[in-house]
Amino acid sequence: MTQSTPISNRNRLHLSSLLEQTAATVGKLGTEFDHYRFKLTELNSRYSEGRFHLAVLGQFKRGKSTLLNALIGEPILPMGVVPVTAAPTFIQYAELPKITVQYQGGQVADEFSGVSTEERSAYLNKFVTEEGNPQNRLDVAEVQIDLPAPILKNGVVLIDTPRIGSTYRHNTLATLNFLEQCDSAMFLISADPPITEVELEFLRQVREKIPRLFFVMNKIDYLDESELEQALSFYKRVLSEQIEWDGEIPVFCVSARKGLDARTDKDLQNWTSSGLEQLESFLVEFLAGEKFNALMDAVLRRSIDFIDAILMEAGIALQALQLPSNCLKKK
Ligand SMILES: Nc1nc2c(ncn2[C@@H]2O[C@H](COP(=O)(O)OP(=O)(O)O)[C@@H](O)[C@H]2O)c(=O)[nH]1
Ligand SMILES: [Mg+2]
């Protein structure tokens, strides 16, 4: 990832006001365009508040929740469980911990603060695991976790993505809608087994949708040094064959489980040897130096996609209006 020129405040405000005007214009096109107006308004408020969406993507059981727990420093996300839906969990900074569960169809959300990590984790389990909420009977759409974790302080929102990327058919509306909300992602694979065709297919889709991407190979504790070297060079070769990438492909090798244990035990040596110290430093540096540029890039990219789609739909609607009425009847 290269360092880009900083954006001036004036440009930032300009983009925000352009998005506002665009949303207002789209609002005049009719109610069938309301979902675009809504998406543009949401994008603008996220941009204005500097909330940067960084998702952890990968198949089921690759260690996504374990890695996030290690990075935020408390085991709040359920690990090693069957996830219930494609409902993402957004983890963001706040002085006081709180969990907010949002239901499908905009029903009133449920909130819980709890006094300990155990209590909060138990509460979360009731909504995001197959055991607690079989077949998503509760109709959970998404969950938000507020935590005073240092890594979240500069406005990054970390996203756990149960089920997304775990089915063969990734091209579902839920996945596409979700990927649209990500400004950056860590793509997680496991050192054992090596990357699969299903993961590669998902990665191609992710690569198309998400501008800033980097790679994490987890569970390196399964391998000795020479096996790790082999696995890493195999992975890098596959990546360079399968996706377009300029220059060196950034791959972090970690043991999320060891990292989480080290974090809990405050064991700095194991935190370093788990590979998580390096990953954390990279994230902190990336967020401090590049967050605003990366956010602006992503917002521009999304808005252009939305505007393209709006123009196409509006064009079709206009053509239909221009057809002589008898021709329309025939059609
Ligand atoms: N050996 C080993 N196991 C891990 C590691 N990270 C996660 N796991 C285990 O892999 C399983 C799946 O982890 P989880 O975080 O729930 O994966 P997710 O489905 O991708 O969120 C759990 O049993 C974890 O304990 C690791 O670094 N090493
Ligand atoms: Mg998980």
Side-chain angles (χ1 to χ4, degrees), residues 59-66 68 77-83 128 160-163:
Q59 275 194 279
F60 176 47
K61 289 235 172 227
R62 294 308 188 248
K64 299 182 292 297
S65 305
T66 311
L68 281 168
L77 301 164
M79 298 171 281
V81 294
V82 180
V128 299
D160 194 13
T161 56
R163 281 271 162 102

Side-chain angles (χ1 to χ4, degrees), residues 124-292:
L124 204 56
N125 261 280
K126 293 196 281 188
F127 299 96
V128 299
T129 65
E130 193 59 44
E131 197 189 13
N133 176 16
Q135 277 127 50
N136 195 20
R137 253 187 242 155
L138 300 171
D139 262 349
V140 174
E142 65 178 56
V143 176
Q144 188 184 309
I145 304 179
D146 294 357
L147 280 181
I151 194 162
L152 305 169
K153 255 194 168 158
N154 49 15
V156 69
V157 180
L158 295 173
I159 314 172
D160 194 13
T161 56
R163 281 271 162 102
I164 288 170
S166 285
T167 56
Y168 192 72
R169 291 193 62 242
H170 300 300
N171 208 2
T172 58
L173 201 59
T175 303
L176 290 177
N177 278 341
F178 175 73
L179 294 182
E180 239 172 38
Q181 297 181 49
C182 303
D183 304 317
S184 176
M186 291 188 249
F187 195 90
L188 197 66
I189 63 148
S190 175
D192 177 50
I195 189 159
T196 63
E197 193 45 50
V198 178
E199 279 170 310
L200 278 174
E201 194 209 301
F202 181 48
L203 176 58
R204 284 184 207 112
Q205 208 180 0
V206 168
R207 179 84 174 115
E208 241 174 64
K209 291 271 166 203
I210 301 184
R212 301 282 213 281
L213 201 58
F214 45 97
F215 302 91
V216 179
M217 191 192 296
N218 189 29
K219 308 198 187 184
I220 58 167
D221 50 288
Y222 278 135
L223 310 179
D224 65 28
E225 224 167 275
S226 79
E227 288 170 327
L228 176 60
E229 227 169 80
Q230 277 176 24
L232 186 61
S233 72
F234 172 73
Y235 184 36
K236 284 193 176 183
R237 199 177 65 238
V238 173
L239 285 182
S240 66
E241 282 165 11
Q242 300 292 332
I243 57 171
E244 283 171 35
W245 196 280
D246 292 336
E248 179 69 8
I249 300 178
V251 181
F252 294 89
C253 296
V254 304
S255 167
R257 185 192 274 176
K258 187 172 170 185
L260 179 59
D261 289 345
R263 195 91 197 226
T264 318
D265 303 341
K266 299 192 169 48
D267 181 338
L268 279 179
Q269 205 175 345
N270 277 346
W271 178 246
T272 306
S273 62
S274 72
L276 280 184
E277 188 197 21
Q278 208 193 354
L279 177 60
E280 188 189 39
S281 307
F282 168 82
L283 287 178
V284 169
E285 212 173 288
F286 166 67
L287 293 168
E290 283 214 56
K291 192 193 90 173
F292 276 111

Side-chain angles (χ1 to χ4, degrees), residues 80-116:
V81 294
V82 180
V84 69
T85 52
T89 303
F90 296 80
I91 311 159
Q92 63 180 35
Y93 188 83
E95 291 291 331
L96 296 174
K98 187 173 77 184
I99 297 172
T100 311
V101 179
Q102 190 72 55
Y103 298 97
Q104 303 279 0
Q107 283 177 50
V108 182
D110 270 325
E111 287 184 3
F112 180 79
S113 292
V115 290
S116 63

